[in-house]
């Protein structure tokens, strides 16, 4: 359940907090008061897109934070699969927007946007404004069914997608394999040249790096030899001005007189150590100078080999690993073309076998879908009857596409009949905006039941409805609120009257600026808000009486269904 929403510096909201309750939470307010900002803030914390002008002008950052309580053991297990563990029974999702970037956290730990979205999907379902219009897109219908059947269907779909990728690759290879004899001989000639060139090179991984290092050393050898030779002379024992010669002479002077003074023995020992170290250094430096000596022929060999390797890399890959991989691939292609008929036969057999596997997986997915479609449509039909579709028929019609996709061969479309004797027709051809919003409400209810999602948000589910239909929708919302938490933004008094908790969103002008405030209404204030919705600019005694009666009737209705 969503317990708390904290919003800071988002659009017109400087800072606001809402403590939600169980049951039906209703948010109302005048047009432009900032209702969409509240839902937008929730969507932001759940991983939604960030609008450019979302952060309040002048603010350093924007913040949206949601606090959920988690009691269901099943939900805890599913969260654990995502490495998300409730702390003191709570999950805190937060998203901070700074300098166009977002910092996403779960229980204070920074996570990726994808991790935030995966976690949010288990905790809450948001039905956004105008989302019902997506029902007009035929491809959405199969997505809804697959979502409903995902527990059993998903493993099959994963295998199906893998089989489709392999089949697609084989069919593409088979298509490209068809060639005339002239083309085959031309490609054979090229393959033989390329594979021989790579094979004759006798490549060894890492060889190029070693050669480049040796080449750099060779090209700089003269300068290195000059510097090392000078250092050798300055520190050696062969020249009169060398440090070794001077230290040796100094050491002999001290050794000749150290017996005259005990204090001189330590100093003589130190100088002796220095002489030994310098001698070792000088010997190693001599060896280094010797290592720099090389024949001109060796330099030419290194340079020639490097040119060969770089030539191969320029043709076949940026690294020797890539060149060898390319050579192996071309070798396999060469072998195939050398035994062309056998290659074609083998490829045809592999493609046919993979297609049979793909067909079988598509058939399994289709059987599962059709079985779940009957249950899904029956449940949606039941909810539609509750929503004032009195003589409704609702089904999912299947067709088979030509060929395959990574999702199978099914094509599906919801069809509906809202009047007795009328034939079933696609939603896009008969459903009005109000009908679509109710159909989506029914679908969302079924999917939430299936996934046992504890919190559902409806943003203006009342589009295009009024009168008795609005009353039916309000009763449905109230019933949904009996089994899970519902948060709903509405313009309809019938729905607002059913609120277990009622919030008003207000736009206020203060300190030379405009800001949005959110506050929880008392029972009396809720009646006043209903009167405002009913009466518009002028609230008469009759409107207020009507609002009071509506609230009372809603209370009676709720009592009858407990």
């Amino acid at each position: 359940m969503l317990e708390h929403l904290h919003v800071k510096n988002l659009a017109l909201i400087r800072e606001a907090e809402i403590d939600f309750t169980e049951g039906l939470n209703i948010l109302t307010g005048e047009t432009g008061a900032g209702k969409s900002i509240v839902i937008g803030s929730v969507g932001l914390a759940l991983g939604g897109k960030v609008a450019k002008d979302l952060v309040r002008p002048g603010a350093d950052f924007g913040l949206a934070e949601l606090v959920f309580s988690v009691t269901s053991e099943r939900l805890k297990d599913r969260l654990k699969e995502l490495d998300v563990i409730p702390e003191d029974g709570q999950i805190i999702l937060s998203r901070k927007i700074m300098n166009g970037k977002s910092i996403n956290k779960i229980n204070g730990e920074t996570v990726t946007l994808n991790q935030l979205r995966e976690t949010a999907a288990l905790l809450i379902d948001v039905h956004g404004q105008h989302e019902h219009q997506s029902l007009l897109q035929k491809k959405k219908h199969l997505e809804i069914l697959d979502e409903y059947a995902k527990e059993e269907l998903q493993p099959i779909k994963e295998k199906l997608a893998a089989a489709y990728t392999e089949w697609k690759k084989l069919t593409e290879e088979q298509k490209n394999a068809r060639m005339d004899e002239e083309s085959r001989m031309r490609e054979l000639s090229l393959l033989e040249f390329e594979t021989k060139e790579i094979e004759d090179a006798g490549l060894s991984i890492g060889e190029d790096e070693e050669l480049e290092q040796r080449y750099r050393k060779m090209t700089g050898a003269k300068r290195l030899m000059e510097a090392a030779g000078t250092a050798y002379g300055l520190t050696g024992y062969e020249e009169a001005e060398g440090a070794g010669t001077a230290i040796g002479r100094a050491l002999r002077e001290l050794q000749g007189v150290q017996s005259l003074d005990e204090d001189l023995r330590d100093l003589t020992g130190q100088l002796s150590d220095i002489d030994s170290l310098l001698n070792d250094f000088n010997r190693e430096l001599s060896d280094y100078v010797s290592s720099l000596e090389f024949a001109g022929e060796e330099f030419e060999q290194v340079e020639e080999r490097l040119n060969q390797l770089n030539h191969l890399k320029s043709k076949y890959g940026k690294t020797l690993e890539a060149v060898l991989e390319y050579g192996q691939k071309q070798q396999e292609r060469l072998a195939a073309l050398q035994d062309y008929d056998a290659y074609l036969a083998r490829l045809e057999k592999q493609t046919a076998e993979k297609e049979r596997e793909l067909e079988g997986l598509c058939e399994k997915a289709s059987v599962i879908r059709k079985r779940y479609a009957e249950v899904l449509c029956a449940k949606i039909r039941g909810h539609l009857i509750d929503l004032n579709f009195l003589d409704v028929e609702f089904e999912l019609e299947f067709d088979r596409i030509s060929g395959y996709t990574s999702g199978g061969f099914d094509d599906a479309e919801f069809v509906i009949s809202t009047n007795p004797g009328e034939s079933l027709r696609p939603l896009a051809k008969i459903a009005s905006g109000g009908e679509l919003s109710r159909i989506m409400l029914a679908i969302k209810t079924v999917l939430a039941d299936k996934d046992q999602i504890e919190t559902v948000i409806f943003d203006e589910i009342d589009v295009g409805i009024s009168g008795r239909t609005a009353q039916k929708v309000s009763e449905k919302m109230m019933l949904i609120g009996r089994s899970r938490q519902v948060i709903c933004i509405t313009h309809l008094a019938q729905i607002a009257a059913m609120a277990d908790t009622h919030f008003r969103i207000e736009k206020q002008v203060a300190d030379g600026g405009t800001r949005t405030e959110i506050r929880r209404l008392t029972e009396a204030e809720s009646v006043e808000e209903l009167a405002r919705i009913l009466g518009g600019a002028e609230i008469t005694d009759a409107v207020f009486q009507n609002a009071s009666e509506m609230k009372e009737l809603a209370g009676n209705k709720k009592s009858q269904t407990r």
Side-chain angles (χ1 to χ4, degrees):
M1 183 183 90
L2 177 58
E3 291 187 336
H4 185 77
L5 166 65
H6 178 209
V7 181
K8 190 168 185 177
N9 297 330
L10 294 181
L12 295 177
I13 300 179
R14 293 189 180 181
E15 187 164 19
E17 300 192 45
I18 307 178
D19 291 314
F20 294 106
T21 65
E22 295 180 351
L24 181 57
N25 294 258
I26 294 293
L27 289 84
T28 57
E30 293 183 1
T31 301
K35 299 187 294 298
S36 60
I37 299 173
V38 175
I39 294 299
S41 301
V42 173
L44 178 69
L46 299 177
K49 292 182 180 179
V50 180
K52 290 183 179 179
D53 56 349
L54 184 61
V55 177
R56 189 171 62 85
D60 295 330
F61 67 90
L63 174 70
E65 185 175 75
L66 305 176
V67 181
F68 293 88
S69 62
V70 179
T71 56
S72 165
E73 292 301 322
R74 179 176 179 271
L75 179 54
K76 289 179 182 177
D77 290 340
R78 295 180 69 185
L79 287 168
K80 191 174 182 180
E81 292 173 4
L82 300 177
D83 292 326
V84 176
I85 310 297
E87 295 181 4
D88 297 325
Q90 289 185 330
I91 297 289
I92 301 175
L93 307 183
S94 71
R95 198 151 176 229
K96 189 175 185 179
I97 309 301
M98 281 179 62
N99 301 321
K101 298 180 180 178
S102 68
I103 301 172
N104 319 302
K105 293 187 177 183
I106 299 177
N107 285 348
E109 181 178 340
T110 303
V111 297
T112 65
L113 187 58
N114 191 52
Q115 287 173 307
L116 185 73
R117 288 170 176 165
E118 286 182 341
T119 302
L122 299 177
L123 298 169
I124 190 169
D125 180 33
V126 180
H127 174 75
Q129 191 176 6
H130 308 308
E131 187 181 343
H132 58 274
Q133 293 294 330
S134 65
L135 286 176
L136 298 176
Q137 303 170 18
K138 188 178 177 182
K139 66 177 183 178
K140 180 71 175 177
H141 302 178
L142 195 61
E143 291 176 12
I144 291 170
L145 173 61
D146 284 5
E147 177 67 20
Y148 183 71
K150 66 181 177 183
E151 190 171 336
E152 184 176 349
L153 184 61
Q154 191 59 32
I156 300 296
K157 285 184 69 176
E158 289 173 0
K159 292 179 182 178
L160 195 159
Y164 174 78
T165 299
E166 293 176 24
W167 172 79
K168 193 74 174 173
K169 181 180 177 181
L170 286 168
T171 53
E172 192 67 25
E173 184 179 351
Q174 194 173 32
K175 177 183 176 183
N176 295 334
R178 302 293 178 184
M179 61 175 64
D180 56 36
E181 185 64 16
E182 183 181 345
S183 298
R184 184 171 76 90
M185 296 307 295
R186 189 163 52 247
E187 186 176 351
L188 267 173
S189 178
L190 176 62
L191 289 168
E192 287 171 349
F193 173 80
E194 289 183 340
T195 53
K196 186 175 186 303
E197 184 178 33
I198 294 172
E199 187 176 344
D200 289 349
L203 301 179
S204 174
I205 303 298
E207 179 188 6
D208 53 342
E209 296 175 358
E210 293 176 8
L211 286 173
E212 284 171 2
Q213 185 177 357
R214 180 70 176 150
Y215 182 77
R216 284 195 299 270
K217 192 173 182 180
M218 284 179 169
T219 54
K222 183 178 180 181
R223 185 178 173 189
L224 290 171
M225 288 178 70
E226 289 175 353
T230 301
Y232 179 78
L234 292 173
T235 60
Y237 295 83
E238 297 177 1
E239 299 179 15
E241 64 272 19
T245 302
I247 290 173
R249 189 166 59 247
L251 182 60
R252 287 192 297 275
E253 290 290 335
L254 291 179
Q255 286 174 337
V257 296
Q258 66 178 344
S259 59
L260 301 177
D261 188 350
E262 281 294 324
D263 293 341
L264 194 59
R265 289 183 181 278
D266 289 341
L267 293 172
T268 304
Q270 291 178 36
L271 189 59
S272 179
D273 291 340
I274 292 171
D275 184 54
S276 296
L277 288 171
L278 187 60
N279 196 16
D280 290 343
F281 167 78
N282 209 244
R283 187 168 51 254
E284 290 180 14
L285 189 58
S286 177
D287 293 341
Y288 175 75
V289 172
S290 298
S291 73
L292 293 174
E293 297 174 356
F294 59 88
E297 183 181 347
E298 182 186 355
F299 179 81
E300 291 177 2
Q301 290 173 350
V302 170
E303 187 174 41
E304 184 179 346
R305 180 61 172 172
L306 262 180
N307 287 337
Q308 182 187 19
L309 298 184
N310 289 331
H311 172 69
L312 291 174
K313 289 195 289 186
S314 69
K315 288 178 66 176
Y316 305 125
K318 294 181 179 180
T319 64
L320 291 187
E321 289 93 332
V323 173
L324 288 169
E325 185 178 333
Y326 179 84
Q328 178 62 32
K329 180 182 175 183
Q330 297 303 83
Q331 187 66 50
E332 292 171 0
R333 177 69 175 166
L334 176 62
L337 291 186
Q338 285 173 335
D339 194 2
Y340 187 57
D341 292 337
Y343 164 64
L344 287 180
R346 185 170 62 254
L347 186 57
E348 187 174 346
K349 180 182 178 183
Q350 289 174 339
T351 306
E353 288 175 351
K354 186 55 64 175
E355 185 166 335
R356 282 195 295 272
E357 179 188 349
L358 181 59
E359 175 76 20
L361 289 168
C362 287
E363 187 62 41
K364 284 184 180 179
S366 187
V367 169
I368 293 171
R369 282 175 173 141
K370 288 172 182 175
R371 176 157 42 85
Y372 274 87
E374 291 184 10
V375 181
L376 173 64
C377 289
K379 289 187 175 182
I380 292 174
R381 193 182 305 118
H383 287 296
L384 290 176
I385 292 171
D386 293 340
L387 292 168
N388 209 34
F389 284 90
L390 301 181
D391 293 294
V392 66
E393 291 295 325
F394 191 83
E395 294 179 10
L396 190 60
E397 288 187 347
F398 283 85
D399 195 5
R400 174 168 177 161
I401 63 172
S402 59
Y404 305 96
T405 71
S406 59
F409 56 45
D410 285 321
D411 189 20
E413 183 174 23
F414 286 125
V415 291
I416 189 171
S417 169
T418 56
N419 296 303
E422 282 188 355
S423 60
L424 291 161
R425 298 175 64 194
L427 293 182
K429 293 186 177 180
I430 66 168
S432 65
E435 288 172 329
L436 284 175
S437 64
R438 283 183 286 159
I439 293 168
M440 183 58 89
L441 173 57
I443 291 170
K444 286 283 186 178
T445 303
V446 173
L447 293 180
D449 286 339
K450 175 72 175 178
D451 287 340
Q452 298 182 15
I453 294 176
E454 295 182 354
T455 301
V456 183
I457 294 182
F458 293 106
D459 181 12
E460 299 190 10
I461 195 69
D462 50 21
V463 172
I465 61 173
S466 59
R468 177 171 174 75
T469 299
Q471 183 60 36
K472 286 291 185 179
V473 170
S474 73
E475 292 173 6
K476 190 65 178 176
M477 300 289 281
M478 178 263 295
L479 289 172
I480 297 171
R482 291 286 173 266
S483 58
R484 62 177 50 82
Q485 182 190 44
V486 178
I487 299 170
C488 176
I489 287 182
T490 185
H491 291 291
L492 288 180
Q494 292 97 323
I495 295 177
M498 289 290 184
D500 294 308
T501 306
H502 193 167
F503 298 91
R504 175 171 166 79
I505 303 173
E506 302 171 323
K507 185 162 64 175
Q508 297 182 351
V509 178
D511 301 326
T514 304
R515 62 185 183 187
T516 293
E517 300 286 345
I518 306 164
R519 63 187 183 89
R520 181 173 175 174
L521 303 180
T522 64
E523 190 75 11
E525 288 173 330
S526 181
V527 173
E528 291 175 3
E529 178 67 0
L530 293 181
R532 182 196 65 78
I533 296 172
L534 290 168
E538 184 178 357
I539 302 176
T540 63
D541 290 342
V543 170
F544 193 84
Q545 181 64 30
N546 188 10
S548 299
E549 291 175 357
M550 184 176 288
K551 190 70 176 176
E552 184 179 350
L553 289 171
N556 292 336
K557 195 73 177 179
K558 287 193 284 186
S559 298
Q560 293 169 9
T561 57
R562 289 187 190 278

